[in-house]
Amino acid sequence: MTALSLGDLAQSYSNRLANVRLRTQLSDLSAQMATGRRDDTAIVASGDVAPLGALERSLTVTDAYRSSAAEATTLFAGAERALAVVADATGLLGSRLAATRIGGDDAGIDTLAAEARGQFASAVAGLNATVAGRSVFAGTGTDGPALTGAETMLADIAAALGAPASAAELLSGVQDWFAPGGGFDSQSYLGTAERMTGLQVAPGERLTLPATAAEPEPRAALAALAAAALLDTGMLDAQPEERRLAAAAAGEWALQATDGVTEMRARIGAEAARAEAAAGRAAAERAGLEMARADLVGIDPYETATRLEQTRSNLETLYAVTARLQSLSLVNYL
Amino acid sequence: MSIAASLTNALSGLNAASRSAQTVSSNLANALVPGYAPREMQLSAAAITGGVRIEGESRAVDRALLADRRLADAAAGEAGARSAALERLAELVGASDDPASIAGRVAAFEAQLVSATARPDSTVRLEAAVTAARGLTAALRDASAGVQQVRQDADAAIARDVEALNDGLARVAQLNREIAALSSRPGAANALMDQRQEAIDAISQIVPLRALPRDRDMLALVTTGGQMLLDGRAWQVEFDAAGAVGAGSGAALSGLSVNGRPVTTGADGRMGGGSLAAAFAVRDDLGPQAQARLDGVARDLIARFEATQADPTRSAGAAGLFTDAGAALDTAQEPGLAGRIAVNGLADPSAGGGAWRLRDGLGAAAPGSAGDAAGLDRLIDALNAPRIPASGGLGPEARDMSGLAVGLAAFASADLAAADVERGFARARLEELTARELAQGVDSDQELQKLMLIERAYAANARVVETADQMIRRLMEI
């Protein structure tokens, strides 16, 4: 620029640049107001890409863990309820059966045997419980039932025992049948040996359902109820003394089995508590992550509105100045 | 005869005034032309008679400013081309909070696997996990194809730039010859000089040029890297456009040569700076770097699921859950791996496999226990195991798959951020120099002032003519 002249185009060039800059700023700010978040170039320029990416991934995965934990909680609750049925069956019947050791007439034992048959059926139904369409106590074979039907099982046991001559024969036969490797494993238990495991409720936290129908506690409960129920199928018919001995022993087994089943319920309850805790943590984490994300990409509406107003008034001033400068030419004064 | 001399002087004054008015009118007519250099009439006192002599019309050009502005043009062209290419490359990887980005798809795959562990018997969930895996491989393949497209576009841009450069050099050479022919008469070639300035401006974005004066008003053009492009005759810049650009075709792509000698376009190369060099950088550095990063991510993904603990049912050497177009990973074939990655057909229902293999292992012949989530747990562990990426320049820290994908996006956006800053600087400098150059242009106020002076000078000289005429008439009346 010489001392004497200043080109005409210089002023209009800088006016045009300022116009474009202000209008771009205006449209960026209005887009920010509309979407409520900073635009991508601002995020890229501030270098926040990696934390934002990690945040997004945590949000996606936390949702999955939360619903997984909720499903695990439902599963464990169902398992606990089913085992409650079994514990009830053995508990109620056990004390009455054990009492026959001291006294009681033959007709009472027959009634108890019939009731035992009914309770055996409820226990088997309980162990065949399903939650959301899959078997709870079949280990990993969740697509089929855990046990065969109650009557089928009694028939199988009766076939295996034949016609026992004494209570001791009956009881040892039932024990052998329910022992690992006996008829229970080969004929009645339809699931797999592995527990249902690997339920992900949090990153790195995997829960296992610590119960299958083939574990010692349900076996003991079923053995006790089966021993009493067999008395209703015509075994030891004409030997009331043997029947009483058998019933009393079955009652003692049932009382012991109740403790075992209750302990199994407690284990399941502990895992259920872990699942619920994980679900709660996931919900809290989600809230925290969303707040962090709002911090990273969110905008302050008040600040953005103020800047928008300011830009608008700058643009108006520019328009006014451009119009005024137009008339400042020597041409108009000659 | 002093009256005759004064008449001659007055006539020369009238002539000078009218020629000056012509100059002023030319300037005012061209006031809106950005590259126009304002003309000035050069006058001097005539030696013998005392009148005024017209030396000629000169162009008022600030050569230093013009040279600076051309270099700033080239710098802005280079920064703009690099920044645009890096923006496209960053978009291919995806913004880190976009669920369709590579990082988003890795997270979605992990989430589907977690939800499948809650119901390993559910075919719906297993197939959803396989679909998420396929989405991830599709995103990698699309990104790889996009990178090669960017390189292809850069190759085409190089071809266009070389053609424009050759055309521009030929035109400047032609104008040089015409200006040299008119060089004996000062001011006759001014319009041609304007055109030559415009022609050089048209090619100054392609490669940074310096204009060196030669005799007879001709110009020589040399790049700032020292490559002569025009000195009397134009040098020929040569380049062969490639038909298709693929991931492994780095060696087969053509370089640049001038009159048969190869030249480099790097930062210290002879043709460095400018949009041509930027296009070479995109094709040969930035593009392959982005491809290498994608290939590194793909290799890490495949290798994770080929580890024995991810799937014990697989036989050694067989492909894992992610494959290189159906085969196991071969590190010698890594270039272009991201364009070939696919989900193993054994686990993909759409390829005839079964989603149950996700749960039971790829080597399983028949579906196993429906409630067994151990296989899915192993897959999740493989995804989340920290591994140091074996290739791709993705950093030396051990990361899980999601961290690696986010790292990929972070690298791409960091490069973009740096390039944007450079572009901002270059753009600001160019705008500043352009504004100053435009300030050298026609100032209509000043031209009108000159016109007022010319008017007065014309009137005064006409008055002198009239007075001399009266004096002679008076003499005649004796």
Side-chain angles (χ1 to χ4, degrees):
Chain A
M1 153 175 30
T2 71
L4 280 181
S5 75
L6 176 64
D8 287 343
L9 290 176
Q11 186 62 53
S12 83
Y13 179 71
S14 50
N15 279 352
R16 285 204 321 268
L17 283 181
N19 190 11
V20 167
R21 200 175 54 238
L22 281 173
R23 291 226 313 274
T24 315
Q25 214 172 327
L26 201 66
S27 77
D28 280 348
L29 284 170
S30 352
Q32 277 188 30
M33 284 293 293
T35 61
R37 48 169 285 159
R38 291 154 66 190
D39 67 295
D40 286 336
T41 47
I43 295 177
V44 163
S46 65
D48 273 337
V49 168
L52 189 58
L55 253 175
E56 286 293 325
R57 177 254 180 152
S58 298
L59 270 169
T60 313
V61 165
T62 303
D63 277 342
Y65 280 124
R66 201 162 52 125
S67 69
S68 181
E71 283 176 324
T73 311
T74 318
L75 179 70
F76 291 145
E80 249 191 297
R81 275 197 305 274
L83 282 182
V85 168
V86 175
D88 279 345
T90 52
L92 286 172
L93 215 48
S95 46
R96 287 156 62 198
L97 280 171
T100 61
R101 192 174 282 283
I102 316 167
D105 57 343
D106 298 343
I109 292 178
D110 289 340
T111 323
L112 283 175
E115 209 181 309
R117 198 168 182 164
Q119 293 289 17
F120 181 72
S122 333
V124 167
L127 288 172
N128 274 335
T130 59
V131 169
R134 51 179 182 161
S135 291
V136 180
F137 294 105
T140 57
T142 55
D143 44 354
L147 299 169
T148 56
E151 289 302 313
T152 319
M153 213 185 300
L154 283 177
D156 286 337
I157 305 176
L161 287 181
S166 65
E169 254 186 61
L170 179 80
L171 295 169
S172 71
V174 167
Q175 260 188 336
D176 287 340
W177 204 84
F178 276 99
F184 180 73
D185 285 329
S186 54
Q187 293 171 307
S188 296
Y189 180 61
L190 300 175
T192 62
E194 295 96 21
R195 288 173 170 175
M196 207 191 299
T197 167
L199 301 163
Q200 291 259 5
V201 297
E205 199 174 332
R206 291 186 180 141
L207 298 184
T208 305
L209 178 64
T212 67
E215 303 229 344
E217 295 91 343
R219 270 183 211 257
L222 287 176
L225 290 171
L230 281 174
L231 292 177
D232 195 54
T233 60
M235 291 197 182
L236 300 177
D237 236 343
Q239 300 156 311
E241 204 35 53
E242 295 297 315
R243 284 174 74 87
R244 180 175 322 142
L245 282 173
E252 277 142 27
W253 284 4
L255 287 175
Q256 280 173 349
T258 313
D259 289 340
V261 171
T262 311
E263 199 213 301
M264 189 180 245
R265 280 184 69 200
R267 287 207 300 269
I268 296 178
E271 295 293 290
R274 281 178 67 190
E276 262 188 70
R281 279 200 310 273
E285 197 176 325
R286 178 166 230 285
L289 286 170
E290 290 205 327
M291 277 200 326
R293 182 171 65 173
D295 269 345
L296 272 183
V297 304
I299 51 142
D300 177 11
Y302 177 70
E303 186 202 330
T304 309
T306 314
R307 284 173 58 196
L308 194 62
E309 222 9 72
Q310 209 171 333
T311 311
R312 195 188 55 81
S313 74
N314 281 355
L315 196 55
E316 279 177 359
T317 314
L318 178 67
Y319 287 156
V321 164
T322 310
R324 286 298 170 81
L325 285 176
Q326 279 302 99
S327 57
L328 280 178
S329 172
L330 193 52
V331 171
N332 299 337
Y333 291 90
L334 286 178
Chain B
M1 292 291 290
S2 42
I3 295 179
S6 59
L7 203 55
T8 316
N9 287 348
L11 285 174
S12 75
L14 286 175
N15 191 22
S18 51
R19 280 298 309 279
S20 297
Q22 182 186 344
T23 305
V24 165
S25 71
S26 164
N27 280 348
L28 283 172
N30 282 301
L32 292 179
V33 176
Y36 180 82
R39 313 281 194 255
E40 256 180 61
M41 192 51 87
Q42 304 295 349
L43 301 170
S44 63
I48 303 175
T49 52
V52 66
R53 204 168 67 123
I54 299 169
E55 298 286 345
E57 223 180 38
S58 68
R59 289 172 74 235
V61 169
D62 185 344
R63 286 194 205 288
L65 187 57
L66 184 62
D68 276 347
R69 198 264 304 153
R70 283 183 178 146
L71 293 181
D73 221 347
E78 181 183 18
R82 280 181 76 105
S83 170
L86 283 170
E87 193 173 330
R88 280 178 73 185
L89 291 174
E91 267 171 41
L92 288 170
V93 167
S96 56
D97 55 339
D98 180 6
S101 66
I102 292 176
R105 289 190 195 266
V106 170
F109 178 46
E110 190 182 346
Q112 292 292 349
L113 279 179
V114 166
S115 118
T117 62
R119 291 298 305 257
D121 57 314
S122 160
T123 317
V124 168
R125 292 197 190 188
L126 291 170
E127 285 189 0
V130 172
T131 306
R134 286 179 59 205
L136 174 56
T137 56
L140 281 168
R141 285 196 301 268
D142 287 346
S144 174
V147 167
Q148 297 313 318
Q149 183 62 44
V150 167
R151 292 181 71 207
Q152 175 84 45
D153 291 346
D155 195 81
I158 294 171
R160 277 198 309 270
D161 275 351
V162 163
E163 191 180 332
L165 186 57
N166 282 331
D167 286 347
L169 287 173
R171 182 152 166 68
V172 173
Q174 168 77 16
L175 284 166
N176 262 348
R177 281 194 290 278
E178 291 173 12
I179 289 170
L182 293 172
S183 63
S184 48
R185 295 189 288 153
N190 279 344
L192 291 171
M193 286 188 188
D194 277 342
Q195 287 184 20
R196 184 175 61 183
Q197 184 173 320
E198 207 178 302
I200 298 176
D201 282 346
I203 55 175
S204 65
Q205 205 186 43
I206 298 175
V207 73
L209 293 169
R210 265 201 253 279
L212 304 173
R214 292 279 183 263
D215 55 343
R216 292 166 64 197
D217 289 335
M218 294 204 288
L219 285 181
L221 291 177
V222 63
T223 69
T224 51
Q227 174 67 45
M228 185 65 76
L229 286 177
L230 175 70
D231 196 1
R233 56 177 180 88
W235 265 244
Q236 191 69 16
V237 181
E238 291 139 1
F239 174 76
D240 295 317
V245 173
S249 64
L253 295 172
S254 161
L256 201 61
S257 59
V258 175
N259 272 8
R261 281 180 57 210
V263 293
T264 54
T265 55
D268 50 352
R270 296 170 72 120
M271 298 277 273
S275 62
L276 184 62
F280 268 102
V282 169
R283 192 192 74 173
D284 297 334
D285 291 329
L286 299 177
Q289 186 190 54
Q291 181 67 41
R293 285 184 186 146
L294 285 172
D295 288 337
V297 167
R299 174 177 166 166
D300 197 70
L301 184 61
I302 295 179
R304 275 170 194 273
F305 289 92
E306 282 187 356
T308 331
Q309 57 264 32
D311 186 356
T313 66
R314 243 183 65 245
S315 48
L321 181 60
F322 292 98
T323 66
D324 177 357
L329 177 65
D330 180 5
T331 52
Q333 304 286 335
E334 192 178 331
L337 183 60
R340 302 191 304 264
I341 188 173
V343 173
N344 198 323
L346 292 171
D348 185 359
S350 68
W356 50 268
R357 287 210 170 89
L358 216 56
R359 174 190 70 208
D360 298 322
L362 290 169
S369 306
D372 187 4
L376 292 165
D377 283 341
R378 281 193 287 270
L379 291 180
I380 296 178
D381 283 340
L383 205 55
N384 287 336
R387 279 173 62 104
I388 301 177
S391 62
L394 291 161
E397 314 92 42
R399 283 188 274 211
D400 59 5
M401 191 67 219
S402 178
L404 192 62
V406 168
L408 180 69
F411 272 112
S413 63
D415 288 344
L416 176 60
D420 268 349
V421 167
E422 279 304 315
R423 183 179 61 168
F425 287 157
R427 184 78 62 78
R429 183 164 161 72
L430 177 64
E431 282 170 7
E432 167 70 25
L433 286 170
T434 309
R436 281 170 56 191
E437 198 187 355
L438 287 174
Q440 304 277 340
V442 173
D443 184 353
S444 53
D445 286 353
Q446 199 200 27
E447 300 298 323
L448 288 173
Q449 285 173 4
K450 277 195 235 170
L451 198 59
M452 290 195 311
L453 291 174
I454 290 167
E455 212 178 339
R456 194 158 359 128
Y458 194 90
N461 279 307
R463 186 59 118 124
V464 167
V465 167
E466 200 185 319
T467 312
D469 177 54
Q470 276 183 3
M471 286 200 283
I472 292 177
R473 228 183 270 278
R474 185 61 104 119
L475 262 174
M476 294 297 121
E477 281 170 11
I478 296 176

